[in-house]
């Protein structure tokens, strides 16, 4: 199932915001290394405290270590 998720600007990671909303996210390392939490960014801008090591294609982000600097919309597949 695919759905769009709207998240607000925050200092929290996108993963923390998703967990508070009880949105399931597959994760492992929670530090930008494994890439399991990769999502497609449909709208908005994010920032990373540290640049992730996992490979990211154009338009992909890691929710475990990214924070929203603007309102963001993610493509989430459950």
């Amino acid at each position: 199932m695919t759905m769009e998720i709207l998240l607000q600007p925050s200092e929290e990671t996108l993963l923390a915001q998703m967990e508070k909303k009880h949105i399931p996210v597959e994760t492992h390392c929670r530090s930008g290394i494994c890439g399991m939490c990769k999502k497609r960014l449909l709208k908005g801008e994010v920032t990373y405290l540290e640049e992730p090591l996992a490979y990211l294609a154009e338009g992909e982000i890691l929710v475990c270590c990214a924070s929203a600097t603007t309102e963001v919309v993610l493509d989430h597949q459950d």
Side-chain angles (χ1 to χ4, degrees), residues 37-73:
C37 67
K38 198 180 302 186
K39 300 291 175 209
R40 181 151 307 280
L41 180 65
L42 301 176
K43 177 184 167 188
E45 296 180 16
V46 300
T47 189
Y48 293 99
L49 292 176
E50 292 186 31
E51 199 63 32
L53 298 178
Y55 171 78
L56 294 171
E58 183 74 28
E60 291 180 332
I61 61 166
L62 297 178
V63 298
C64 71
C65 55
S67 297
T69 56
T70 65
E71 184 176 88
V72 299
V73 178

Side-chain angles (χ1 to χ4, degrees), residues 1-3 23-26 39 75-78:
M1 181 172 115
T2 300
M3 66 177 166
I23 300 169
V25 181
E26 189 173 352
K39 300 291 175 209
D75 180 16
H76 179 65
Q77 293 186 8
D78 188 14

